[in-house]
Amino acid sequence: MPDHAASSPPAEEGGSGIGPSPGRSLRGSADQGVRALYRRVRAATEALAAPLSAEDQTVQSMPDASPAKWHRAHTTWFFETFVLASRLPGYRVFDPAFGYVFNSYYEAVGPRHPRPSRGMLSRPGIEAVAAYRAHVDAAMERLLDGGDEDVAALVVMGLHHEQQHQELLLTDIKHAFSLSPLNPAYAPPPARGPVGKPASPGWWQASGGIHAVGHAPSGDPMDFAFDNEGPRHEVLLRDHAMADRPVSNGEFRAFMEDGGYRRPEFWLSEGWALAQASAWEAPGYWRRDGRDWVVHTLHGLLPVRDDEPVLHVSFFEAAAYAEWAGMRLPTEFEWEVAAQARAGTGLPAGGPCEHPRPLVPGLRQDVWEWTASPYSAYPGYRPAPGALGEYNGKFMINQMVLRGRSCATAEGHERPTYRNFFPPGARWQFSGFRLAAGA
Amino acid sequence: MPDHAASSPPAEEGGSGIGPSPGRSLRGSADQGVRALYRRVRAATEALAAPLSAEDQTVQSMPDASPAKWHRAHTTWFFETFVLASRLPGYRVFDPAFGYVFNSYYEAVGPRHPRPSRGMLSRPGIEAVAAYRAHVDAAMERLLDGGDEDVAALVVMGLHHEQQHQELLLTDIKHAFSLSPLNPAYAPPPARGPVGKPASPGWWQASGGIHAVGHAPSGDPMDFAFDNEGPRHEVLLRDHAMADRPVSNGEFRAFMEDGGYRRPEFWLSEGWALAQASAWEAPGYWRRDGRDWVVHTLHGLLPVRDDEPVLHVSFFEAAAYAEWAGMRLPTEFEWEVAAQARAGTGLPAGGPCEHPRPLVPGLRQDVWEWTASPYSAYPGYRPAPGALGEYNGKFMINQMVLRGRSCATAEGHERPTYRNFFPPGARWQFSGFRLAAGA
Amino acid sequence: MPDHAASSPPAEEGGSGIGPSPGRSLRGSADQGVRALYRRVRAATEALAAPLSAEDQTVQSMPDASPAKWHRAHTTWFFETFVLASRLPGYRVFDPAFGYVFNSYYEAVGPRHPRPSRGMLSRPGIEAVAAYRAHVDAAMERLLDGGDEDVAALVVMGLHHEQQHQELLLTDIKHAFSLSPLNPAYAPPPARGPVGKPASPGWWQASGGIHAVGHAPSGDPMDFAFDNEGPRHEVLLRDHAMADRPVSNGEFRAFMEDGGYRRPEFWLSEGWALAQASAWEAPGYWRRDGRDWVVHTLHGLLPVRDDEPVLHVSFFEAAAYAEWAGMRLPTEFEWEVAAQARAGTGLPAGGPCEHPRPLVPGLRQDVWEWTASPYSAYPGYRPAPGALGEYNGKFMINQMVLRGRSCATAEGHERPTYRNFFPPGARWQFSGFRLAAGA
Amino acid sequence: MPDHAASSPPAEEGGSGIGPSPGRSLRGSADQGVRALYRRVRAATEALAAPLSAEDQTVQSMPDASPAKWHRAHTTWFFETFVLASRLPGYRVFDPAFGYVFNSYYEAVGPRHPRPSRGMLSRPGIEAVAAYRAHVDAAMERLLDGGDEDVAALVVMGLHHEQQHQELLLTDIKHAFSLSPLNPAYAPPPARGPVGKPASPGWWQASGGIHAVGHAPSGDPMDFAFDNEGPRHEVLLRDHAMADRPVSNGEFRAFMEDGGYRRPEFWLSEGWALAQASAWEAPGYWRRDGRDWVVHTLHGLLPVRDDEPVLHVSFFEAAAYAEWAGMRLPTEFEWEVAAQARAGTGLPAGGPCEHPRPLVPGLRQDVWEWTASPYSAYPGYRPAPGALGEYNGKFMINQMVLRGRSCATAEGHERPTYRNFFPPGARWQFSGFRLAAGA
C-alpha cells in the first residue's frame, strides 16, 4: 500500500483554500536552492496540520489511512533515517523507539509498528512530534550547509515524499471526519458562484505511432522524478480521441439515474461484488438529502454541484461509467502524450475539487484521473538499491495508474510523467476520470 | 457488554496510589448529603483523567474498551438524560448530538454511535468534554437544591454508575498503553519492599444449609445496590472450605511450570480453543524477559512478584488452575455468605494489585474474583421499567459473576452483595480468583 | 461443542415416521441383555442413514453439523477406541488413519481432523464406512460373549452415545437439505388431520422447598445416565407454576405479530445483536409464502400449523417470548421435579414435531425445551478419569440446559434427569420451550 | 473468478496418463465435423470423472474450486442454456431448477447458487447428472443434424469451454485430495526413469520492433479463439532473451536454500504479506519429509524430482524468483511472438507435470507460465453482446496472464494466442514460469 501523494491549492486560489500553500511548491524554487525549498515544504506540512486539534491528529479511521501526527512524524523519520543517519557525522537520533513507530513499510530498515494500529499511538503527542520535527530540521540545516550534490538529490526526494504525505494528510482527515456524527469541517466553506451548465466536453484527436514516454534524468537535483517514472522509453499508440475535461457530477448523475449502480452489465466482476457488498449507490461521501444529494467535504456538508468534476469514485465506477457511455478510459501513455503536447498550457487534467470551480474553458480542473493501465514496471526498470528501492517497485501489482494531480496536490509536485497508483476499489483519494474513444 | 465498575485505591494507601481517591468513597458520606457526594465523585473522575493527555484520552484499543474522554462524557450524559431532562424544568441540553455520541447501549433512548468506533471521535475534544461536565454539574447543583428524595435515589445511582466507569477508565487506558511500543506509564512506580514468601492460604470452613443472600432495600437513598443484587432470597449451600486469600503469582507460576497452558485436560473446551488461538502462555500483560517475566502495569513494566495475587486471568485460566489443583472455584453465594460473616473485618476478597502489597495476614488483597456462578437473574428479579431497566438484566447470558473489588475500585463502591460480571474469556479487568473445596 | 443426542419416533407412531425405530429403544431391553441392545441400536443407525445417498451422507452444511457417514463412522470409532482396543485381546484396528479422521474432540486420544473440514472427506466412502461398521460389530460380538459387567457399562455408554448421534444425524441432514435449492425431503409427508385450535395451557402449581434432583446409580448397567446428571443432590425451589405443554406455533405467531422480532426491550443484549446480524424474523426453517409461512421439514416444505409446538427457536427467542408474555422459562430443576412427579404418565415435555400431532390433552408433545439454567456442574461433580472424562464436563460454559426429548430422540433414550445443552443462539436442534411463572 | 481451462495428456504419453484423452483433442478433428468433435469432448469429460466416487465428485475444498459433478453439470447447462434453448425448437429443459444451480457467473441469465456453497449440493447426485448429460447430448445430436454454421460456432465455443472445465476438474480434485488425511490418489503412479540433471537453459535471443499479436478470425468455425485473444494488433517489443524451458524444481530449490521465502527484498509487498500470512515456505503441495521434500500429486505423494519444472507456484513466487535471479518474467507478447516463431516445432512452453518427464532437449515441458503482463483488454476489444459477453471481459482486473498449456490441458486446446489468467496469489493451477532478460 503506497504512502504517497499530497498537498494543497495554490495561494492565488484565495482565502478559502485548504490551508496555506506558498511553501508547497517545489518547481519554481530551483533558483533558491535546496535549503529554501526544505524550509518551505516542511513549513507547509505544519501549516496543513495547524487547524487540527491534538485529538484530530491522533485518530485513524481505517487501516489505509494514517493519523495526521503520524504523517508529520513519518516524513521526519524519513530524513532522519535516509539522510541524517548516514550523512551528518555525530547526528544524535531523537528517540530510538521512533524507528519502530514511524517506519511505514521499509522491510530493510527493520520491524515496524503494524499499520492498522497507528491510531493506537497516543504517544508521542503532538508537542513531542513538533519537537521531533524541530530536532531534525536543525540537523538538516547543519547538513545543508555542506552543499553536497548527492545530499541534495536525497533531500529533494525526501521533500517530494513529504508532499505526497501532505496530500494524504488531507485525504485521511477527510475520511476520519466523514465518520463523525458531528460533521466537523477542516476549513470554512468558500464563496461560490451559481451552478453553471458545462458544455459537452471537447475531444482531442490524437494520431497513432511511436511516442517516447517516461522521465529522463537531466542531472539537475531539482529536476526530480520517482524511479517508477523511468526509464524513458518508446510506446506504440493508436489513433484515438480524448475528452478535454473530466466527467462532471451532472454527467455522472445521468449514469446513476439510468441504473448505473444496479446494472451488472457495465461492471467488472470484482467491482460489482465490491459495490454490492459495500452497498454503493453513489460516489464516495455522497449522502442522500431528501431526493437530492449532499457531499461531505473538507468544508463540511455541501450540495453536490453538477458543474464540478465527479470525485471519490473508484476505478470500478470509472470503468462502469465508460462502459455505459460506450467509451473507455485512456491509457496512461495516451494521457502522458497528451499532457506533453499541452505542456505549455497546463496538464490535460484538472478541475476544482474541494473548493470547486465550474468546468468552463481555460480553467484547471484538478482531479486524479484513473487510467486503463495497470501499474507495472517500465522496460528496464530497476529499483534503487537498499531501503529506498522499496519506494515504488514493490507495489507493482493489483493497482491501477492515476495521472494528473488533485486540488490537494502541492503546487509543482505534478509533472506529465507522474504515476500515482491505488487499488481499483479505493475511493478516499481525490479521484475522478476522463473518457477516451477509439482503439 | 457491560459498562460498569471502577476506581482507585484509598488515600491512606500512600502517594504511589493510582490517582486521588478521597472523593471516590460513597459509603461514609451519607451524613454529608447527596450534594457533597456528587461533588466528590465527579471530581474524582476528573482527577483520574488528569494524568492523561488529549491524545491518551482519545484512543480506543479494542471494541470492549472506551476512550477516557468518552467515559468522562458518557457519565455526564447519564445525568443529563436520566436526571436533568425529566427533573429540572427548563434544563437546556448541552449539545443534542451528544445523545447519539454518548449513549452506551440504551436501546430505549434511541440510536447510538457504534461502540467499536468510539476511538474515531476526535470531536468533541477534551476541552469540550470539560465544558459539558461543567454545564451538567451546574445544572445538577440547581437540581440538588430541591432535596427531592426521588431525585436523590437517581443521583446516587448515577454516581455508582460513574464509579464503575472510573474503574473502566483505568482498565481501558492500561490496555491501550499495553499496545504502545513506548511503554507509557500512567503513574510513577511505588516504593516496594522486598518480595515476601506468602504462607500457604488458610481455609475457612463453612457449614451447609439455607442462607439468605442478595440486597434488601432499606429505604435510605445512600444504601444503594444495583437491581441485579436483589431480591434478597434464600439459597441452599453445602459444607465447604474456602481459601482466605486469592491465588498468588508464585502459586500460578507452579501451574505454568507444570505445563498448565499446554495440557488440555485442565481446560474447558472453549477456553482451550481460545488459549490456543490467542497463544496464551501466561496471565495478561505478562511478557518474557529472558528466562523470567515482567508485567505491564499502570506504573510501567515491573518484575512479576510472587507474593502478589495473580491478576488479569480469564475465568478459563482460573478454572484450569482449580482443576489442576484438584479443587474448584467458590460459587457466588458461598463467597457472599463468607463476606457477610466477615463483614466487620473487611471482605474476604482483596489484595494489592497495581501497587501491590504482600499477601500477608490482616491486609486487604484486592482483586475481582471469578466465581463458579454464571450470571443469572435472582428469583423474582424484574428490571426497572424504562431505559434504566437495560442496566443489568439484558446482559444475563454467557457471563460469569465476579465478586469482591479491585485495587481500582472506588472506596465504598463495594459491598458483599455486589455482582460484577464479564465473559469468561475477558482478561483486561483486574481479575484473579481464590480456591474452594468440598461439594 | 457437544456431539450428542439423537433418535427417531417410536414404531407405533405409524408409517410416516422418520426412519425405522424399533431398535432405537434402550429402556425396555434390559432383560434381553446388552448384546441384543447392541444389535438393535447399531441397526437403527443404519436404518436412519438408509434413505440418504452417498452424496447426501458426505455434505457438511456448517461447522456445527457433521456428515451422516461421519456420524456412522464416529460412533463406530467410539467402540473401537474405548472398548475394543483395551478389552478385546488381539483386536486388529480397521484402519489406523481413522483414529485421526473420526475422533470428534477427545484431546487425550491425540490430534484429530478439524471439525469444519469433515465435509471435505470424500474418503472413506459409504461402502468403506459400512465395512468399518461390520468389522467393529463382528469384534463386538466376540467381546460380548465374555459377559463382563465392566464391559457392559462401557458398551451401554457407547450405545447412548450412538443414540445421541442418531438424533444429530437427523438434525444435521435437515439443515443440509434446508440449503438446497431443490428442497429435498428425507421422508414422504405424513397424513395429517385438520388444524386444531389448542386450548390455553393448563398450569401445574408447585410448592417450594427442598427437593432431590439428579441421577443416583443403581448398579444396573442398563440403568445408564451420563456423568453430568449426577451426583444426586438437594436443591431449594420456590412456589411456582408451570405450563402443561410447550408454546405453540399459533401462540408464537402472536408474539411475531406484536413486533416480537423488532422490539429490543424483550431481548437479551447478545440475542438482539445476533437476531439483527442474522436477520431473524421467524423461527428457524420458516419461510415466507406470500402472506403466510411454510416450514422446511424432513418431509419437505409444509404449511406451518398453529396447533403444533414451535420448533427451532434459540434460547434467545424463547427468553424474549417469555419476557413478552410477562413470564419466564422454568429452571432445569423445576422441570425435573415436575417430570418426576408425573413419571408414571410420561414426561411433562413433548409434542409432535416433524410428524406433528395436535396439542391436545394426553398426548406426548416432544420438543427439547430450553430452560433458564446455564449448564454447570452439580455439586461434587467429577468427570470420569481419562479420555471419557471429556464427554460432558469440558462443555460446561456458555451453554443452556434443555430438558425433555424431541420427536427425533430414540425411544427410551430420555429420562427425567437428562441434561441436553446447546449455546443460546443454536436453532438447528428440535428445540422449543414452555413457560413458568412465580419467583 | 474465471471458470476456465482444462485437460489431460495426449494418448501417446502412455497408460500412466491422467485419464483417457484421445477425445480431448479439438484441433485435428475439423475434417470430422462438429458432431464427431462434440461426441469426443463430451465423452472425455465423463472419462475424466470416471475414477471418482459419488463422494469424491461432491466435495468442494475451497470457494475457488468446484465439485467434479458440478463441472459435469455446468458444462451441460452451458449447452442447454446458450445453444438448445434458443436453437432447438421444442427443446424441453431437463429441470428448471438446474438453471439456478449450475449457472456459474452469468448475471444476465439470472440469480444463481452461491459459488462457495457448491459443495452443499448433495442433489442432484451423480446418476442424475449423468441423466442430465444424456438428455442434453440427445438433443444436441438432433440439433447437429441441421448443420447450421452459426450453431457450429456456438457449439465449438461450448466445447472449448468444456475443455477448460476438464482441466479445472483435475486441478480441483487435486486440491480436494490434498486436504485428506488419507492421501488418496486419482491415478496410479507412472513408471519413471532415474532423475536427470538438466543442463542450464538455452536462451532465445529476440530482436525488438513491431510485431503483430492476437487472434484474427479465419471464418472456419473450427478455428476457434476466445474473444479476449483479439483483435489482432501490433505491439512494440524490445531486444530481449528468453529461456528455452521453464525453471526446474532443482533450480527453485536453490532459491529456497538461499532464503528465498525469508527475504522480503525479492518480493512484491502484497506477495510478501500473503506468503507470511499463509506460512509459505515451498511451492504448493510440497511437504517436508525429514530433510527432503515430497509432493502431493494426482498419483499420490511422490518425491520431488529436480529435473521437472516447478509447479503450483503463484505469480508472487515466480516474480520473487526472477528478482533473486536478477532477471524478469517475459511479457505475454514476448511469449506469443516466440511461440509463433516456433509454431512448427511446438509451443515454447511445456514439460511434464503430473507424470513428469525430464527437462531434456526436444521434449514438451507443459506448465502454465506466469507472464509479467496484467490481464487487460486488447485495443479495440469489445465483449460479445448478451450473456456470452460475460465470458472474459469482466475479469480483466487484478489478474495476471499465463501462457502455454499444462499437462492437464486437452490436446489441441492450446494455441499461441491463448490467454489464461488467474489472480497473482493463486497456486492450485498447474502453474510454473520461465525467465527472460533484457529491457
Side-chain angles (χ1 to χ4, degrees), chain B residues 1 105 107-108 112 210 233-236 238 264-265 267-272 315-316 323 326-327 372 374-376 379-380 382-383 393-400 424 438-439, chain C residues 1 105 107-108 112 210 233-236 238 264-265 267-272 315-316 323 326-327 372 374-376 379-380 382-383 393-400 424 438-439:
Chain B
M1 177 58 45
Y105 56 67
E107 302 273 356
R112 60 198 177 284
I210 291 183
H233 65 288
E234 294 187 328
V235 293
L236 179 63
R238 282 150 199 91
E265 63 264 35
W267 291 71
L268 288 162
S269 182
E270 184 174 329
W272 180 249
F315 172 82
F316 293 124
E323 185 71 19
M327 303 200 194
Y375 179 47
S376 295
R382 297 298 305 166
K394 73 179 185 180
F395 301 112
M396 289 176 171
I397 192 72
N398 289 356
Q399 316 234 21
M400 300 302 285
Chain C
M1 178 58 46
Y105 55 66
E107 302 273 357
R112 61 198 176 285
I210 291 182
H233 65 288
E234 295 187 326
V235 293
L236 178 63
R238 282 150 200 93
E265 63 264 35
W267 292 71
L268 288 162
S269 180
E270 186 173 327
W272 180 248
F315 172 82
F316 291 125
E323 184 72 19
M327 302 199 193
Y375 179 47
S376 295
R382 295 300 303 166
K394 74 180 184 179
F395 301 113
M396 290 178 172
I397 192 73
N398 290 356
Q399 317 233 22
M400 300 303 286

Side-chain angles (χ1 to χ4, degrees), chain B residues 82 111 155 206 263 328 366 400:
Chain B
F82 295 121
V155 171
R263 294 169 63 181
R328 62 173 175 87
D366 291 338
M400 300 302 285

Side-chain angles (χ1 to χ4, degrees), chain A residues 299-382:
Chain A
H299 308 290
L301 282 177
L302 294 176
V304 168
R305 286 180 67 117
D306 280 352
D307 57 357
E308 294 169 18
V310 67
L311 257 185
H312 296 294
V313 289
S314 65
F315 172 81
F316 291 125
E317 288 155 297
Y321 180 96
E323 185 71 19
W324 169 80
M327 304 200 194
R328 62 174 176 86
L329 303 179
T331 69
E332 64 166 320
F333 302 124
E334 290 169 344
W335 196 100
E336 181 172 332
V337 168
Q340 287 167 333
R342 284 157 187 83
T345 59
L347 291 172
C353 50
E354 285 301 279
H355 44 139
R357 284 168 302 180
L359 286 161
V360 289
L363 273 194
R364 287 188 18 212
Q365 297 156 348
D366 291 339
V367 298
W368 284 108
E369 300 181 18
W370 290 107
T371 71
S373 300
Y375 179 47
S376 295
Y378 285 173
Y381 168 76
R382 295 300 304 167

Side-chain angles (χ1 to χ4, degrees), chain D residues 395-414:
Chain D
F395 302 112
M396 290 176 170
I397 191 72
N398 290 356
Q399 317 234 23
M400 300 302 285
V401 173
L402 300 98
R403 292 297 193 116
R405 71 181 162 223
S406 86
C407 56
T409 308
E411 180 75 6
H413 184 69
E414 82 280 14

Side-chain angles (χ1 to χ4, degrees), chain D residues 173-200:
Chain D
I173 199 68
K174 183 174 182 179
H175 188 266
F177 280 176
S178 80
L179 301 183
S180 173
L182 304 183
N183 292 318
Y186 171 82
R192 301 292 311 283
V195 177
K197 179 156 179 47
S200 296

Side-chain angles (χ1 to χ4, degrees), chain C residues 113-137:
Chain C
H113 193 63
R115 180 175 188 130
S117 300
R118 290 177 186 166
M120 296 299 102
L121 294 168
S122 66
R123 315 279 178 97
I126 61 169
E127 283 86 6
V129 168
Y132 182 34
R133 290 183 67 93
H135 174 89
V136 163
D137 286 348

Side-chain angles (χ1 to χ4, degrees), chain C residues 119 358 371:
Chain C
T371 71

